Amino acid sequence: MHRKNELSWLVGGAQGSGVDSAANIFAKACAFGGLYVYGQREYYSNIMGEHSYYQVTVSDRPVRSTRSYTDILVSADTETVFLHARDVNPGGAIIYDPKLTETALSKVAALEHRARHDLQRYLSSKNLPETMGGMLQDAQARGVRLYPVPFDELLQKMTGEKAPQLSVAKRMANTMAVAASCALVRYDLKLIERALEDVFQGKKRVIELNLRACELAYEHILKNFAQDFPLVLEPLTVSEPRIYLTGNQATALGKLAAGCTVQTYYPISPATDESVYLEAHQLFERGSGEPGAIVVVQVEDEISAITMATGAALAGARAATSTSGPGFSLMVEALGWAGINEVPVVVTLYSRGSPSTGLPTRHEQGDLRFVLHAGHGEFPRIVIASGDLEECFYDEIRAFNYAEKYQVPVVHLLDKALASSSQTLTVFDPQRCRIDRGQLVSTAGEGYKRFVYTETGISPRSALGTPGGIFWNTGDEHDELGHITEDPVERVRMMEKRAKKLEVAAREIPLSEKLTIFGDPNAEVLLLSWGSPKGAILDALEVLHAEKHSVCFVQCRLLCPLPSDDLAQLLQKAKRRVCIENNYSGQFAGLVREATGIAMDHRIVKFNGRPITMNEVYESVKQILSGKAPRRMVLTHGA
Amino acid sequence: MARKPQDYKTDVHNNWCPGCGDFGILNAVQMALAELDLEPHRVAVFSGIGCSGKTPHYINTYGIHTLHGRVLPYATGAKLANPDLTVIAVGGDGDGLGIGAGHFVNAGRRNVDITYILHNNGVYGLTKGQASPTLKLGIQTKSLPQPNINQGINPLMIALAAGYTFIARSYAYDMKHLVSIIKQAIAHNGSAFIDVLQPCPTYNDINTREWYGGEDRKDPQTGKPLPRVYKLEKQGYDPLITPGMSDAEITAKLNKFIEKALEWGDRIPIGILLKNETVPSYEDRILQRIPFYREMPPAKQTIADELGRPAIDLTKFLEELKVT
Ligand SMILES: Cc1ncc(C[n+]2csc(CCOP(=O)(O)OP(=O)(O)O)c2C)c(N)n1
Ligand code: SF4
Ligand SMILES: [Mg+2]
């Protein structure tokens, strides 16, 4: 299994022990070396102690998803070995702390009962000791190479000035493990040094300490093991400028580019980081030299979040809020208010494991049906779903344009997988985008009616404070001025006016913003999906195409109004239709059937709180091609 | 040419019950706006849901009738986006202290420069007279099947604890007093809260106009009623807390506030109970972070260039994220 610049790497450890930093150091070191990186962050709803891990896929070609297997498992604790050793590929490696090999499974605190039982059964079925050592023996028997790194001993070599305190040393073990993994693949230590400087920006002593520790771990591998690990990473020279960022950051940048100047939020995973990023980047410059700023308000609850953003939108600011399922549940009454009053407010919704508090830090696409129907009664809304980090950025700008053009609330539906994954991407180019404020008027006058009936249903919109533009809003049904009415004729007209806007939107929004087709739509298998599975599907598609399989992928991005006719056309011609999504019931497949009358031949679903991997897509498609796949396929990979 | 209250009226049919205290509040708002000579398009009146919630429709300024309990965050959003607006929020006692209590408290923490007028009638008017959060324990108003099982809360005390920097009480039928209080509330830089005693002749047959006016307890000598409502300013009550005051002076003021706020029954004080000038408004706090916030608030920034491209220069932020 000799491979260059193609690696699936995983680091794990207790939350609060520096796993994120370690992963960041590795990912950045790879990215600095011109390699493409995709990182998936998995963590518990906990601050300290529970097991978290970070899986990084590295390649010299763009990567967009995680693999089911691991080539190098990087650990400094026992949980990581227990939970992930079985995913390490034969020929791969496990880096571990030899002093922990005797640790018994029963002594490992942060394991779920189910996982402990499974491991017990597994080890005893193989007549292996119920210790970390047992896991390592098992891996070795499968052809995995073992690389013990005595972190404590190595750290003891650091004396005097450079000796860290015990608490610091503990955190440094993860960084050392990273360095050891780089030594395995013969990756340049200089790039780790650069990554350290980047991740621990400005903290000179921390950088020094970590660098020394990394050197020791790196030397330890070179000195004690043959340099024959079959996987190699080699820096590339690239001229293209790239960024490495998370989905939360990409979305926040999209908001800034869109001209969003008010963001409200109530803390909730996995949305919070977006607002925190915005507050940290509150001040900026405009191309004209003028200063600009976004006001970020942390409010008392999500009802306040959406209503305050709506108030700001009424005043003419581009305003948004950002939340997750539980928060959005609280927002629905106000969503309807924005609907009936035609206020352009944007809600960025990162769905996560549900219902209720669900799996607070885990992934799911379970909110689709809810978002499409949230709120009592009928009112127009636009719902878009991005499939990757680049779309998070560009779609956020579209979200505001749609909101203002059609004077509707817009939900930008994202999820945990997008929020906390990170990726190397071509630098965003805001200049490619256009800001369209629709019929926002700067002055109005005699006879102005905020909700005047028009051909398109869209009325000129004045912002609070506009001379001559006085209007009224109410959550009650209203007349053209915005005053309450219960007149049956007026009611019908107003309902039709609002509904018409969505028909216009459906007509005007270009097909390229509604859906994307990858590959030949007449292929043997048509994969249909929406949102974050896109990355795994595209990565799998590359492999399937290389193997000459006839598969195409249709990604739907506009979910409301759903491009039913376009979808129907594609699906009618398709030979085998397969819908892939991260929820239990196959919500999108159901929706499409409702809108087109076309049922899927297979529904691939996953709802264990973990994103779909490239291999899961690949294997499912192979199974479908073999004709042996059930109609409903449930994916389960992930620790 | 100075504006007249008439200029702030709409021709929307008013459907409050005859004699409703809401009329007093509506007229007082219109008179205050006229006396302050505010341009109608620079004023936005927000309301919650209830009988009181209909107020904006009767006022010829921007009028935003929002959701039950949510008037404050809507109003806050508008004010923060465009601080040049004069923002007035009105709502019922159920609206503000029941379903919207969380917002009421948290708005106090922020101290945004808005005026909040509470129509305190002791009942849920629009839903036909159930007990509101201000109705006292054991009181049985007209449509209650049994006496109120909950304690009534004291809006003034909550406002104090929440941090409102202007706290007043007035009476819906004392037009002159109410107009003057509203004007001062609007002029105050920060969140101004006015608890307006608002008789609901239809459902609250206890706290009626006659009761507030003391019709039930005539002076045996003069035969004149002895009103329950009395004016703090006539008693030499001084609500002002200013920068430079010692802690002891401030404590004395707050003690006085509490003493007055707790009065109820035979003597009900109205007037300004607190005007605290030592706490910066939310806008002033934003100004510490965004020096140009006043000139270029969120609603007035140029977000696109003449070709419609995003006006922001993201170079610096993208540079932070660059890896190659
Ligand atoms: C979420 C929600 N729950 C319930 C109602 C029904 N409702 C309408 S008005 C009202 C009570 C209003 O009482 P108050 O706020 O005191 O206003 P008033 O009518 O007395 O002025 C209620 C409960 C509603 N409109 N919205
Ligand atoms: S029910 Fe009471 S509060 Fe409502 S309009 Fe009638 S009198 Fe006024
Ligand atoms: Mg009431």
Side-chain angles (χ1 to χ4, degrees):
Chain A
M1 139 176 131
H2 286 269
R3 273 193 269 128
K4 197 167 93 179
N5 288 344
E6 187 82 58
L7 184 72
S8 173
W9 180 100
L10 190 151
V11 65
Q15 248 149 242
S17 73
V19 175
D20 282 355
S21 311
N24 249 320
I25 291 161
F26 178 73
K28 284 265 171 107
C30 293
F32 286 144
L35 296 165
Y36 288 96
V37 176
Y38 176 87
Q40 177 194 332
R41 181 169 168 238
E42 285 298 335
Y43 58 105
Y44 267 84
S45 179
N46 151 268
I47 305 302
M48 257 191 242
E50 293 288 0
H51 175 71
S52 70
Y53 66 94
Y54 212 120
Q55 190 157 1
V56 181
T57 316
V58 187
S59 175
D60 48 18
R61 284 171 303 119
V63 271
R64 321 157 181 91
S65 66
T66 301
R67 309 290 172 253
S68 295
Y69 59 84
T70 300
D71 294 312
I72 302 183
L73 177 61
V74 178
S75 75
D77 70 347
T78 49
E79 282 90 335
T80 306
V81 174
F82 276 116
L83 288 169
H84 304 280
R86 284 184 290 172
D87 287 332
V88 181
N89 255 351
I94 299 179
I95 290 167
Y96 66 98
D97 188 342
K99 78 164 189 281
L100 301 175
T101 46
E102 297 307 317
T103 309
L105 179 58
S106 58
K107 292 277 182 302
V108 182
L111 279 183
E112 302 267 8
H113 292 309
R114 195 275 315 156
R116 197 190 307 276
H117 286 159
D118 279 6
L119 285 163
Q120 248 156 12
R121 234 177 308 146
Y122 179 78
L123 288 169
S124 74
S125 77
K126 303 218 153 186
N127 280 322
L128 288 166
E130 288 181 15
T131 60
M132 186 175 108
M135 294 303 294
L136 293 170
Q137 277 179 46
D138 173 59
Q140 199 166 28
R142 288 190 299 108
V144 174
R145 301 178 182 210
L146 303 183
Y147 293 89
V149 181
F151 299 107
D152 294 351
E153 277 170 42
L154 291 174
L155 280 168
Q156 269 159 24
K157 292 193 188 167
M158 292 171 65
T159 48
E161 242 312 89
K162 291 203 162 166
Q165 292 172 329
L166 195 71
S167 60
V168 181
K170 254 191 132 137
R171 290 175 60 87
M172 275 165 50
N174 280 315
T175 323
M176 293 169 80
V178 167
S181 73
C182 288
L184 277 191
V185 295
R186 274 94 77 198
Y187 198 61
D188 194 350
L189 192 62
K190 278 266 163 303
L191 288 163
I192 301 181
E193 184 176 346
R194 218 181 124 191
L196 283 171
E197 279 163 8
D198 184 276
V199 171
F200 298 122
Q201 246 165 51
K203 299 180 194 152
K204 214 171 140 238
R205 167 132 175 97
V206 181
I207 297 169
E208 254 173 43
L209 277 177
N210 277 282
L211 181 60
R212 182 67 199 124
C214 284
E215 284 165 359
L216 288 167
Y218 202 91
E219 284 159 16
H220 169 80
I221 296 288
L222 296 188
K223 229 172 25 207
N224 295 291
F225 301 96
Q227 284 158 58
D228 59 354
F229 192 65
L231 306 179
V232 180
L233 286 187
E234 216 170 69
L236 302 171
T237 350
V238 288
S239 50
E240 172 203 56
R242 277 183 212 150
I243 48 177
Y244 178 70
L245 80 176
T246 67
N248 285 136
Q249 291 172 330
T251 310
L253 286 166
K255 281 192 175 159
L256 292 177
C260 174
T261 50
V262 174
Q263 162 107 340
T264 60
Y265 80 105
Y266 186 76
I268 190 166
S269 297
T272 314
D273 288 356
E274 184 202 303
S275 299
V276 172
Y277 180 90
L278 285 172
E279 189 171 337
H281 296 78
Q282 176 166 54
L283 295 174
F284 42 82
E285 269 181 26
R286 306 252 180 228
S288 59
E290 244 177 43
I294 179 167
V295 172
V296 181
V297 190
Q298 184 194 326
V299 295
E300 58 272 24
D301 58 33
E302 285 86 352
I303 300 175
S304 182
I306 188 170
T307 53
M308 201 178 286
T310 304
L314 283 172
R318 281 195 156 187
T321 182
S322 197
T323 189
S324 177
F328 189 67
S329 289
L330 293 187
M331 292 183 181
V332 296
E333 190 192 13
L335 194 75
W337 193 93
I340 195 169
N341 288 295
E342 310 195 29
V343 188
V345 66
V346 172
V347 181
T348 312
L349 170 56
Y350 296 89
S351 78
R352 67 184 209 189
S354 58
S356 192
T357 315
L359 302 165
T361 58
R362 306 295 179 173
H363 171 63
E364 193 172 275
Q365 295 181 287
D367 297 346
L368 172 61
R369 287 284 196 174
F370 174 43
V371 169
L372 294 174
H373 301 288
H376 49 288
E378 300 161 293
F379 60 90
R381 79 195 70 197
I382 289 177
V383 181
I384 57 175
S386 299
D388 56 35
L389 273 54
E390 199 160 45
E391 287 175 5
C392 286
F393 175 81
Y394 292 106
D395 286 349
E396 194 65 44
I397 302 167
R398 289 190 186 105
F400 284 93
N401 287 345
Y402 295 159
E404 288 205 293
K405 262 182 96 166
Y406 305 110
Q407 302 180 18
V408 290
V410 172
V411 180
H412 188 190
L413 184 51
L414 305 173
D415 55 41
K416 187 265 167 179
L418 291 167
S420 52
S421 62
S422 42
Q423 204 177 341
T424 41
L425 294 168
T426 310
V427 179
F428 298 146
D429 181 10
Q431 297 300 302
R432 258 172 56 189
C433 311
R434 290 294 175 273
I435 286 176
D436 185 346
R437 305 214 60 181
Q439 296 197 40
L440 178 64
V441 297
S442 53
T443 51
E446 205 51 28
Y448 173 75
K449 291 179 183 167
R450 167 68 186 89
F451 301 106
V452 67
Y453 296 119
T454 63
E455 194 65 27
T456 56
I458 301 165
S459 324
R461 180 171 70 96
S462 73
L464 302 179
T466 308
I470 285 179
F471 64 80
W472 291 267
N473 277 173
T474 166
D476 290 38
E477 187 55 278
H478 55 247
D479 60 19
E480 287 179 287
L481 285 167
H483 289 307
I484 299 171
T485 179
E486 297 189 19
D487 179 72
V489 176
E490 197 85 88
R491 159 69 173 180
V492 169
R493 277 198 210 145
M494 247 336 138
M495 281 294 277
E496 284 175 345
K497 165 197 183 332
R498 287 191 293 267
K500 217 180 315 171
K501 296 189 299 177
L502 217 52
E503 291 165 27
V504 175
R507 251 195 335 266
E508 288 182 354
I509 295 174
L511 186 62
S512 62
E513 294 174 21
K514 291 174 172 164
L515 50 83
T516 317
I517 305 166
F518 299 88
D520 174 7
N522 300 312
E524 281 301 313
V525 175
L526 182 149
L527 300 176
L528 177 66
S529 190
W530 63 282
S532 63
K534 175 185 180 185
I537 296 172
L538 287 183
D539 280 357
L541 222 55
E542 274 187 13
V543 185
L544 290 161
H545 285 168
E547 293 175 5
K548 303 271 177 275
H549 293 299
S550 166
V551 188
C552 71
F553 167 41
V554 175
Q555 178 206 2
C556 191
R557 287 164 60 198
L558 184 66
L559 302 179
C560 183
L562 191 73
S564 320
D565 293 346
D566 305 300
L567 284 171
Q569 256 179 33
L570 286 164
L571 291 171
Q572 258 149 18
K573 282 187 289 184
K575 299 190 182 91
R576 245 176 299 186
R577 310 170 188 108
V578 182
C579 189
I580 309 183
E581 54 194 311
N582 269 110
N583 54 53
Y584 176 83
S585 58
Q587 295 184 21
F588 188 62
L591 181 73
V592 169
R593 180 167 190 184
E594 206 175 282
T596 64
I598 301 172
M600 294 292 139
D601 299 304
H602 300 275
R603 291 181 182 202
I604 303 177
V605 293
K606 185 170 183 180
F607 48 91
N608 67 349
R610 312 300 188 267
I612 295 168
T613 68
M614 180 277 265
N615 306 79
E616 285 182 311
V617 177
Y618 171 82
E619 281 148 23
S620 308
V621 173
K622 292 279 279 210
Q623 207 185 338
I624 288 165
L625 285 166
S626 77
K628 291 193 197 102
R631 283 181 67 90
R632 179 168 185 263
M633 303 165 75
V634 180
L635 307 177
T636 57
H637 178 80
Chain B
M1 192 192 69
R3 290 179 176 78
K4 295 187 283 297
Q6 194 57 35
D7 298 330
Y8 298 90
K9 295 198 162 119
T10 63
D11 53 13
V12 173
H13 168 67
N14 189 315
N15 60 15
W16 285 326
C17 310
C20 175
D22 287 346
F23 285 106
I25 300 172
L26 171 64
N27 290 336
V29 170
Q30 286 161 333
M31 282 173 76
L33 292 176
E35 288 180 22
L36 293 170
D37 198 22
L38 294 172
E39 286 181 272
H41 77 267
R42 293 183 192 278
V43 179
V45 179
F46 285 73
S47 68
I49 295 286
C51 298
S52 45
K54 293 176 184 169
T55 306
H57 295 285
Y58 307 136
I59 301 179
N60 188 30
T61 63
Y62 282 95
I64 313 295
H65 182 184
T66 72
L67 289 170
H68 196 24
R70 317 302 167 201
V71 59
L72 287 173
Y74 276 108
T76 299
K79 179 72 182 181
L80 293 183
N82 181 0
D84 296 340
L85 293 168
T86 296
V87 174
I88 300 171
V90 305
D93 42 3
D95 193 80
L97 300 174
I99 193 166
H103 306 308
F104 180 66
V105 170
N106 284 280
R109 294 169 61 205
R110 286 187 287 261
N111 196 32
V112 173
D113 184 13
I114 58 177
T115 299
Y116 179 36
I117 301 173
L118 189 82
H119 296 229
N120 184 351
N121 57 9
V123 291
Y124 281 27
L126 194 58
T127 47
K128 298 191 181 295
Q130 301 79 11
S132 88
T134 62
L135 192 69
K136 306 280 182 208
L137 177 67
I139 302 284
Q140 185 170 16
T141 46
K142 206 156 55 190
S143 48
L144 296 189
Q146 295 193 56
N148 187 17
I149 196 169
N150 294 305
Q151 294 197 66
I153 50 176
N154 186 323
L156 302 174
M157 295 286 280
I158 299 181
L160 178 72
Y164 284 81
T165 49
F166 179 107
I167 304 173
R169 185 194 271 148
S170 190
Y171 178 47
Y173 292 125
D174 190 337
M175 192 54 53
K176 227 174 108 196
H177 187 264
L178 184 52
V179 171
S180 148
I181 296 276
I182 293 174
K183 279 166 61 185
Q184 293 178 74
I186 291 173
H188 175 71
N189 179 25
S191 288
F193 171 63
I194 312 172
D195 175 24
V196 185
L197 305 172
Q198 177 241 317
C200 162
T202 306
Y203 292 115
N204 190 335
D205 52 347
I206 307 288
N207 311 116
T208 57
R209 179 177 201 152
E210 292 70 29
W211 184 81
Y212 285 117
E215 299 285 352
D216 56 330
R217 41 171 216 174
K218 297 220 166 86
D219 186 321
Q221 255 104 66
T222 62
K224 278 196 188 155
L226 292 168
R228 288 186 164 78
V229 172
Y230 74 96
K231 297 195 173 82
L232 282 171
E233 47 273 42
K234 290 211 175 134
Q235 312 255 317
Y237 180 94
D238 177 10
L240 203 60
I241 295 179
T242 51
M245 270 188 184
S246 70
D247 286 353
E249 281 172 293
I250 293 173
T251 307
K253 291 254 172 186
L254 296 180
N255 282 335
K256 199 82 194 146
F257 175 102
I258 293 169
E259 189 190 316
K260 288 291 155 194
L262 291 176
E263 280 182 19
W264 188 260
D266 285 345
R267 285 179 62 73
I268 302 171
I270 61 170
I272 301 170
L273 283 98
L274 181 77
K275 181 167 164 58
N276 185 347
E277 293 178 350
T278 67
V279 181
S281 69
Y282 198 78
E283 294 89 321
D284 287 338
R285 292 174 222 164
I286 294 178
L287 206 57
Q288 298 296 312
R289 300 175 173 199
I290 307 173
F292 49 90
Y293 172 68
R294 295 273 177 199
E295 306 86 70
M296 268 185 276
K300 296 191 177 166
Q301 292 182 37
T302 312
I303 62 168
D305 68 13
E306 55 298 333
L307 294 175
R309 294 172 307 198
I312 191 171
D313 181 1
L314 279 181
T315 317
K316 212 173 80 196
F317 297 163
L318 291 170
E319 207 57 48
E320 285 174 8
L321 300 164
K322 262 202 189 149
V323 284
T324 60

